[in-house]
Amino acid sequence: MSARREFEVAVVGLGGLGSSALYRAAKRVGAGALGLERFELGHERGASQDHSRLIRLSYHTPQYVRFAQDAYAAWAEVEEEAGERIILRTGGIDLYPASAPNWHEDYTRSLDEVGIGYEWMDAGEAMRRWPQWRLEDDVRVMFQEATGIVAAARANSAHRRLAERAGATLVDSARVTEVREAGGVYELVTERGTFRAERLILTADAWTNELLEQLWRPINLTVTQEQVHYYASRDVEAFRPDRFPVWIWMGVPSFYGFPVFGEEGAKIGEDVGGDEVTGDTRSFDPDTGYAARLDAFMQEHLPDGFGPYLKRKTCLYTMTPDRDFVIDLVPGHERAVVGQGAAHAMKFASVYGRSLVELAFDGTARSDISAWGIDREVLTMEDAPKSFYV
Ligand SMILES: Cc1cc2nc3c(=O)[nH]c(=O)nc-3n(C[C@H](O)[C@H](O)[C@H](O)COP(=O)(O)OP(=O)(O)OC[C@H]3O[C@@H](n4cnc5c(N)ncnc54)[C@H](O)[C@@H]3O)c2cc1C
């Protein structure tokens, strides 16, 4: 570990968002960038460490669609610099059962406004193109070609590697226990000594409030323990990325899944299916009720993707009440920013990190982040109404 203790900028939390921010910070100030992580780099206790996360332009507001466009462009820069592939475009389908709310109206309106094409088809046509699916006649399907996979764990490693190459200091096992501003400098007390930085970027996700409340106040966040399954699929060849696109079941409950990527079988998850926990009280044990729902969906709709478990993995969702991001300066601070990804941010990590760094240094970001301010009433009001579906 470097003996250096004074930095121009410190990033606290090196998951998906923090690793990206550290990379962008190091590109800007080289050895002036510090990254602090409470566990090992690439640990599995947070939100960002699996083979795959969905990336898509298909979103419910034009601002997210545009931010996703910026994310694809920023990922291309990272891929170029890292010399490796992080994004795999498989195309993607959003499946709307008859019982689904009218979410498709928001999605198509947003895509139309930004000028992004998509294709509607009925269940019969979808099953002709992707015979892996078993669908009721009344399911409608929207295909968007840009959708695909972020190789999440690989992306995080690439960001951290590039940050280090640009001169950044990365410190693992360094939980920040105290953060305070003193004489225009942020002092960060960690398990490995005290560090100082002129600017601060907080990307601590499930642990955000432990830090934020020391600088300002806590915000309303709900943490849940989610779960994904990989199956030893009966027909693994039919689930290769060139034959089987990424998918989202836009019903309630909502499921999503991936072709074979990282493990030799199909993957499925449920959006907001888990019990409320905290970053410290969560377990790593799969939940049986959750497992039964994932298995039942596979058996009903993707029977050849089903099979014995290859791997089951738990993971944390940390959500604002409106499920929108927080990308903003900490109130009362001109050089401290906070990023909270509302449990759908991995796809945006490339541009998210860039935006946080721009905000910390310039007070403004190139991408439009205006909807994700920390002054939203829902973040601090008592008994905030919660709406977790996006
Ligand atoms: C099962 C699952 C599926 C998902 N699917 C998708 C998807 O398909 N597409 C998508 O875009 N997003 C998806 N998401 C959401 C996305 O993964 C998260 O929004 C994103 O990874 C959050 O990144 P983060 O860096 O904020 O959090 P984390 O990766 O949790 O990183 C936070 C880091 O801060 C560290 N930390 C905390 N406190 C301190 C401290 N005091 N001192 C030092 N370090 C600290 C933690 O140890 C951790 O490493 C999914 C999430 C899950 C769990």
Side-chain angles (χ1 to χ4, degrees):
M1 191 181 78
S2 146
R4 183 172 173 167
R5 295 276 156 178
E6 317 266 331
F7 293 84
E8 284 175 60
V9 58
V11 179
V12 180
L14 298 183
L17 304 189
S19 299
S20 166
L22 186 64
Y23 158 65
R24 297 287 170 175
K27 274 175 85 83
R28 193 154 176 152
V29 298
L34 167 71
L36 297 170
E37 167 54 50
R38 67 185 285 171
F39 301 118
E40 313 83 45
L41 303 179
H43 70 85
E44 308 242 333
R45 299 177 183 88
S48 308
Q49 282 298 122
D50 197 359
H51 302 296
S52 51
R53 291 283 187 259
L54 252 142
I55 182 165
R56 55 190 158 102
L57 293 173
S58 169
Y59 249 97
H60 58 295
T61 72
Q63 196 163 13
Y64 278 112
V65 177
R66 292 198 178 92
F67 203 49
Q69 286 181 311
D70 293 352
Y72 277 97
W75 283 121
E77 292 168 10
V78 179
E79 287 181 320
E80 168 84 24
E81 205 171 325
E84 67 176 313
R85 196 155 161 202
I86 291 169
I87 303 298
L88 176 64
R89 292 190 191 218
T90 60
I93 53 175
D94 296 344
L95 302 110
Y96 291 87
S99 59
N102 283 340
W103 289 323
H104 65 278
E105 290 170 6
D106 294 334
Y107 280 71
T108 51
R109 197 180 310 116
S110 303
L111 290 167
D112 289 344
E113 188 174 321
V114 184
I116 308 290
Y118 51 87
E119 185 186 341
W120 278 108
M121 66 193 84
D122 62 20
E125 173 61 14
M127 287 190 288
R128 264 189 296 283
R129 285 170 73 167
W130 302 290
Q132 300 88 340
W133 282 99
R134 301 278 178 281
L135 299 171
E136 301 290 321
D137 286 347
D138 54 12
V139 176
R140 287 168 305 156
V141 178
M142 191 179 96
F143 175 77
Q144 214 291 314
E145 64 183 4
T147 302
I149 297 170
V150 186
R154 207 192 297 155
N156 303 333
S157 298
H159 271 141
R160 289 190 294 262
R161 197 173 61 249
L162 293 175
E164 195 162 24
R165 201 189 289 166
T169 297
L170 284 72
V171 189
D172 67 302
S173 312
R175 178 178 167 220
V176 175
T177 52
E178 279 177 55
V179 49
R180 55 178 172 256
E181 194 188 2
V185 171
Y186 290 95
E187 273 188 1
L188 302 160
V189 179
T190 83
E191 293 159 337
R192 298 181 73 174
T194 299
F195 296 84
R196 286 177 194 80
E198 291 161 28
R199 296 166 206 278
L200 184 60
I201 297 175
L202 301 179
T203 45
D205 208 32
W207 297 271
T208 299
N209 280 333
E210 285 180 14
L211 301 163
L212 195 54
E213 68 188 1
Q214 298 184 47
L215 294 174
W216 179 53
R217 54 160 296 166
I219 55 174
N220 292 323
L221 293 176
T222 303
V223 183
T224 59
Q225 180 167 322
E226 304 296 327
Q227 181 168 321
V228 298
H229 291 182
Y230 290 89
Y231 300 95
S233 302
R234 282 181 196 133
D235 183 359
V236 73
E237 292 309 317
F239 286 83
R240 299 275 176 213
D242 57 344
R243 290 174 61 185
F244 183 69
V246 164
W247 58 271
I248 305 179
W249 183 261
M250 304 293 265
V252 180
S254 171
F255 298 92
Y256 59 89
F258 296 80
V260 174
F261 190 85
E263 304 283 339
E264 274 297 287
K267 173 183 169 186
I268 183 175
E270 180 183 346
D271 189 42
V272 206
D275 292 336
E276 210 170 314
V277 293
T278 71
D280 301 321
T281 63
R282 60 83 59 89
S283 83
F284 293 85
D285 303 325
D287 175 85
T288 47
Y290 204 126
R293 291 194 298 280
L294 299 186
D295 292 353
F297 187 93
M298 290 297 291
Q299 285 170 296
E300 183 179 353
H301 295 291
L302 294 165
D304 288 342
F306 188 65
Y309 299 137
L310 264 182
K311 183 174 175 183
R312 293 192 291 171
K313 197 173 183 315
T314 59
C315 183
L316 295 180
Y317 261 23
T318 303
M319 295 171 289
T320 51
D322 52 10
R323 197 88 192 265
D324 279 324
F325 299 155
V326 177
I327 311 180
D328 205 351
L329 290 160
V330 177
H333 296 257
E334 283 173 13
R335 289 167 292 103
V337 301
V338 56
Q340 206 293 308
H344 60 115
M346 188 62 221
K347 65 181 74 61
F348 298 101
S350 55
V351 66
Y352 215 113
R354 187 183 80 194
S355 301
L356 287 168
V357 169
E358 289 168 349
L359 208 49
F361 280 86
D362 310 326
T364 176
R366 259 184 284 171
S367 294
D368 180 7
I369 55 168
S370 57
W372 305 315
I374 203 165
D375 56 356
R376 303 200 301 279
E377 196 187 352
V378 79
L379 293 176
T380 50
M381 70 195 277
E382 266 181 56
D383 299 322
K386 294 177 183 178
S387 162
F388 288 149
Y389 283 105
V390 288

